Amino acid sequence: MLDVAATAGVSVATVSAAVNGTAPVSSELRGRIENAIAAIGYKRNAVARSLKTGATKTIGLVIADITNPFFTDVVAVIQDVLHRAGYAVMLCCTDEDPEQQEEQISLLLDRMVDGLIIAPAGNDHALERVLQRAGIPTVLIDRISHGIAADAVVLDNQRAVQDAIDYLVGLGHRRIGYISGSLDTSTGLGRLAGYCGALENAGIQHDDALVRIGNFREKDAYNAAMQLLVMPERPSAIFSANNLMVIGVMKAIRDMGLRCPDDISVSSFDDFPWADVFQPNLTTIAQPVQAIGEHAAQLILDRLADRSDRPPRQIVLAGRLTIRASCRPFSAPEAR
Amino acid sequence: MLDVAATAGVSVATVSAAVNGTAPVSSELRGRIENAIAAIGYKRNAVARSLKTGATKTIGLVIADITNPFFTDVVAVIQDVLHRAGYAVMLCCTDEDPEQQEEQISLLLDRMVDGLIIAPAGNDHALERVLQRAGIPTVLIDRISHGIAADAVVLDNQRAVQDAIDYLVGLGHRRIGYISGSLDTSTGLGRLAGYCGALENAGIQHDDALVRIGNFREKDAYNAAMQLLVMPERPSAIFSANNLMVIGVMKAIRDMGLRCPDDISVSSFDDFPWADVFQPNLTTIAQPVQAIGEHAAQLILDRLADRSDRPPRQIVLAGRLTIRASCRPFSAPEAR
DNA sequence: TGACATATTCGAAACGTTTAGATTAGCTTC
DNA sequence: GAAGCTAATCTAAACGTTTCGAATATGTCA
């Protein structure tokens, strides 16, 4: 900028004013400055700018797993909206590990991000303290962390799972296996509550043995499903609490020599773009990823715009049960 | 940091030395400083640090589409390696649009990233100039851009596709449809060359009408496949040049009332984690995503470590044809 | 013509670090 | 005991911006 000022024969203050349009500059000087900029190939140094202004125009985005299509779908729309608003996005993954989460958030805070969008892993109170201290706008997505009073956009997980289980019950299923996500997350908890609620409504006795923890991971879900499938009286249907886990469930079913939906019905949280064209065509709960992303981005932009301390807003969206062909009416097992 | 220095009763230089370990500090002062840091809750300001040192410890990562599982797999391992080395990653998406690409790169350059990992969109010479001017270490992944002399890690696309087409030819197929990616990319070109090469080797006359551009996008691929399927003498097999497009191909097949593999064989570039458990079990070319990511990260770290101007290294990896059940031996159409 | 408002432009002090070079203190060594 | 080292610490100048208040120029009005 000094070089520009020198070749244009003006002061740096004027260059700054011209570049940012923060103060009137005569067209004469503006012309000279623009020429100088073009000649030198000057680019404003965002780091120095950030140091002075205290704003990096960057948002930190913390999710569990970049390999999970649900998160990437949401990330894609968040990025889109924020870029349009002049913000860059710094993406970090926690692998569902609270310790890594803290590390990543610390890294983002070091870099002075202006705001944070987080899908919290675990239910650590550490997060609460860290965010308190950071004192920057934060919005929670997908999951909420107990005790953190922040803007959030989440799904009505309980309602959504209840719909799915109701559907299975309606097909006559009574012994329904449930592969749960980590119970350290609000999603894990909420979805399980939906399962339990639906069973209770239907007057079906809850059987602890039918609920297994898959930690939202394919591998863990595979093992969990295996345990379900080797039971003497195995479930006639299995519900998986997310997209990654249902792959594990399907692999377990295959490895046990069973077929879906002939031998066992399967349904899961999160939709797949290919579900319509690959068999079994999975019956899923589709999340409104577009809406989730847009709301999250908008919430953070609002907070960034007016620093007013309006009370946190929680946006709750609904999942949509998408019935395909992976669930069959219950039929008594012939000879197991 | 001044606060820390003040409460510890030392100079900022000493605090800096203690924090960074760049100069010896007596254990006496080190203790006082550590206490002061704990008391105040001091965190080093990375922005100021970057301004002074000229390094942001951040790598820009530019890909086409965060929604594409191939890219996210690669991104995941790159992030992992770079984080371990103390670098943050800033992820940007171009949507295969050279203009957006330039914008995103500009944004990263503004923020003074220390290096760039790019899967270039288009074959613009603009990119070349921009990178030249930026003068920071760059590694290209997945695709190479003509005329850019940079480190790169790519696949032997031609060889890989040739293997797949050889396989189809071996099954007796003669009219093989090809859904191509954008021919502005080296991957689009290389994969098409593999198709053409295999056909030539087999002595099969090339038919332009069998090659359609799907631009690596599901939607475009759907339309492209539709054109193939309404031909009077439609192909008996279709190869899709990436993962997103094969979904479009399958949808087209379904919408035409056909079945895979009964009526038509399908194969594609890029593997799916669920391909083993959903029918038709796709025969695919799996890319070594782990290796791609590790090499890319290592190349950039090497460049960052020694600024030596060693000639660019190009790492070429091999794809692996994974035969499943989506291709059948050719049988003459009965009554089409 | 002098006083005053208005419109531009400029000088210089931040922002929070790093770091080269100066300073000081404490030891050796002759 | 002076000279010379070494080790630890400090002072102060950067890094490239933004921004406040001062300075300058131009025009207007009495």
Side-chain angles (χ1 to χ4, degrees):
Chain A
M1 184 175 260
L2 316 83
D3 297 344
V4 174
T7 54
V10 300
S11 79
V12 288
T14 309
V15 176
S16 177
V19 169
N20 299 308
T22 48
V25 173
S26 70
S27 53
E28 146 97 39
L29 289 202
R30 188 190 316 283
R32 297 222 306 267
I33 289 170
E34 276 163 7
N35 287 341
I37 286 177
I40 295 183
Y42 164 79
K43 300 201 71 183
R44 183 177 60 189
N45 183 319
V47 175
R49 176 166 226 262
S50 293
L51 178 58
K52 187 61 190 160
T53 62
T56 51
K57 283 282 180 182
T58 304
I59 304 291
L61 184 43
V62 181
I63 60 174
D65 182 4
I66 195 189
T67 268
N68 182 328
F70 162 67
F71 285 122
T72 56
D73 283 355
V74 174
V75 168
V77 354
I78 289 179
Q79 275 201 332
D80 194 45
V81 177
L82 291 183
H83 271 147
R84 238 190 279 286
Y87 284 86
V89 170
M90 207 145 191
L91 182 65
C92 294
C93 302
T94 64
D95 272 328
E96 303 279 6
D97 174 5
E99 227 168 285
Q100 271 197 61
Q101 170 171 279
E102 207 166 338
E103 201 176 309
Q104 304 284 16
I105 291 180
S106 167
L107 179 147
L108 291 170
L109 258 23
D110 279 357
R111 283 172 171 72
M112 303 231 310
V113 293
D114 297 339
L116 235 27
I117 300 179
I118 310 180
N123 217 341
D124 229 350
H125 285 279
L127 181 60
E128 195 184 339
R129 267 180 290 118
V130 170
L131 294 182
Q132 200 84 34
R133 175 174 284 178
I136 61 174
T138 302
V139 0
L140 269 22
I141 56 172
D142 186 44
R143 311 151 174 201
I144 48 181
S145 204
H146 204 66
I148 300 187
D151 290 335
V153 21
V154 296
L155 214 74
D156 186 344
N157 287 293
Q158 181 165 353
R159 167 89 264 140
V161 173
Q162 203 159 327
D163 287 351
I165 303 297
D166 281 352
Y167 165 69
L168 287 172
V169 169
L171 289 176
H173 293 281
R174 288 294 173 272
R175 288 184 62 74
I176 301 173
Y178 183 84
I179 309 293
S180 173
S182 158
L183 295 182
D184 287 339
T185 64
S186 66
T187 41
L189 251 19
R191 291 172 194 179
L192 180 56
Y195 168 80
C196 296
L199 255 41
E200 190 171 332
N201 286 350
I204 299 174
Q205 173 87 39
H206 178 92
D207 180 352
D208 256 351
L210 289 176
V211 175
R212 305 279 170 163
I213 307 292
N215 288 320
F216 291 134
R217 280 193 271 257
E218 179 189 324
K219 193 127 205 169
D220 293 353
Y222 174 85
N223 295 330
M226 272 302 194
Q227 295 179 339
L228 247 31
L229 295 177
V230 298
M231 290 172 70
E233 199 185 353
R234 67 159 193 260
S236 62
I238 295 184
F239 184 86
S240 155
N242 88 338
N243 49 6
L244 265 24
M245 294 198 298
V246 77
I247 308 296
V249 170
M250 294 301 291
K251 287 186 177 171
I253 289 173
R254 175 202 57 190
D255 288 355
M256 288 297 290
L258 300 173
R259 285 161 312 155
C260 165
D262 311 73
D263 300 315
I264 189 165
S265 293
V266 171
S267 175
S268 96
F269 221 94
D270 295 320
D271 201 22
F272 296 96
W274 44 265
D276 277 323
V277 285
F278 285 85
Q279 282 84 43
N281 302 109
L282 280 179
T283 289
T284 63
I285 294 168
Q287 297 201 52
V289 286
Q290 181 79 24
I292 294 174
E294 281 172 359
H295 276 121
Q298 203 51 58
L299 280 175
I300 200 100
L301 287 176
D302 286 354
R303 280 280 178 206
L304 253 13
D306 66 345
R307 319 261 336 152
S308 80
D309 291 321
R310 61 160 163 67
R313 260 189 281 167
Q314 301 236 124
I315 296 179
V316 179
L317 302 171
R320 188 171 42 77
L321 180 64
T322 305
I323 295 175
R324 296 200 183 85
S326 61
C327 303
R328 287 266 179 84
F330 173 76
S331 61
E334 297 141 33
R336 275 191 193 155
Chain B
M1 184 175 259
L2 315 85
D3 296 343
V4 173
T7 54
V10 301
S11 78
V12 289
T14 309
V15 176
S16 177
V19 169
N20 300 308
T22 49
V25 173
S26 69
S27 53
E28 146 97 39
L29 289 202
R30 189 191 316 285
R32 297 223 306 264
I33 289 170
E34 277 163 7
N35 287 341
I37 286 177
I40 294 184
Y42 165 79
K43 298 203 71 182
R44 183 175 61 190
N45 182 318
V47 175
R49 176 167 226 260
S50 293
L51 178 58
K52 186 61 189 160
T53 62
T56 50
K57 282 285 183 179
T58 304
I59 303 291
L61 184 43
V62 181
I63 61 175
D65 181 4
I66 196 190
T67 267
N68 181 328
F70 162 68
F71 284 122
T72 55
D73 283 356
V74 174
V75 168
V77 354
I78 289 179
Q79 275 201 334
D80 194 47
V81 178
L82 291 183
H83 270 146
R84 236 189 281 284
Y87 284 86
V89 170
M90 206 145 191
L91 181 65
C92 293
C93 302
T94 65
D95 272 329
E96 303 278 6
D97 174 5
E99 226 167 285
Q100 272 197 60
Q101 170 171 278
E102 207 165 337
E103 199 176 310
Q104 304 284 17
I105 291 180
S106 167
L107 179 146
L108 291 170
L109 259 24
D110 279 357
R111 283 173 171 71
M112 303 232 311
V113 293
D114 296 340
L116 235 27
I117 300 180
I118 309 180
N123 216 339
D124 230 350
H125 285 279
L127 180 60
E128 196 184 339
R129 268 180 289 118
V130 171
L131 294 181
Q132 201 84 33
R133 175 174 284 177
I136 60 174
T138 302
V139 359
L140 269 23
I141 56 173
D142 187 44
R143 312 150 173 202
I144 48 182
S145 204
H146 204 66
I148 300 187
D151 290 336
V153 21
V154 295
L155 213 75
D156 186 344
N157 287 293
Q158 181 165 354
R159 167 88 264 139
V161 173
Q162 203 159 326
D163 287 351
I165 303 297
D166 282 352
Y167 165 70
L168 288 172
V169 168
L171 289 176
H173 294 280
R174 287 295 172 273
R175 288 184 61 73
I176 301 173
Y178 183 84
I179 309 293
S180 173
S182 157
L183 295 181
D184 287 338
T185 64
S186 67
T187 41
L189 251 20
R191 291 173 194 178
L192 180 57
Y195 167 81
C196 296
L199 255 39
E200 189 171 333
N201 286 350
I204 298 174
Q205 173 87 40
H206 178 93
D207 180 354
D208 258 349
L210 289 176
V211 175
R212 305 281 170 162
I213 308 292
N215 288 320
F216 291 134
R217 281 193 270 258
E218 179 188 324
K219 192 126 206 171
D220 292 354
Y222 174 86
N223 294 330
M226 272 301 195
Q227 294 180 341
L228 248 31
L229 295 177
V230 298
M231 290 172 70
E233 200 185 353
R234 67 157 193 260
S236 63
I238 295 184
F239 183 86
S240 156
N242 88 339
N243 49 5
L244 265 25
M245 294 197 298
V246 78
I247 308 296
V249 170
M250 295 301 292
K251 287 187 177 171
I253 289 173
R254 175 203 55 190
D255 287 354
M256 289 296 292
L258 301 173
R259 285 161 312 155
C260 165
D262 311 73
D263 300 315
I264 189 166
S265 293
V266 171
S267 174
S268 96
F269 220 94
D270 295 320
D271 201 21
F272 296 96
W274 44 265
D276 278 324
V277 284
F278 285 85
Q279 282 82 43
N281 302 108
L282 279 179
T283 289
T284 62
I285 295 169
Q287 296 202 53
V289 285
Q290 180 80 23
I292 294 173
E294 281 172 359
H295 276 121
Q298 202 51 58
L299 280 176
I300 200 100
L301 288 176
D302 286 355
R303 281 280 177 204
L304 254 13
D306 66 344
R307 319 259 340 146
S308 80
D309 290 323
R310 60 161 162 67
R313 261 190 281 168
Q314 302 236 123
I315 296 179
V316 179
L317 302 171
R320 187 172 42 79
L321 180 64
T322 306
I323 295 175
R324 295 199 183 87
S326 62
C327 304
R328 288 266 178 84
F330 174 76
S331 61
E334 296 142 33
R336 272 190 193 159

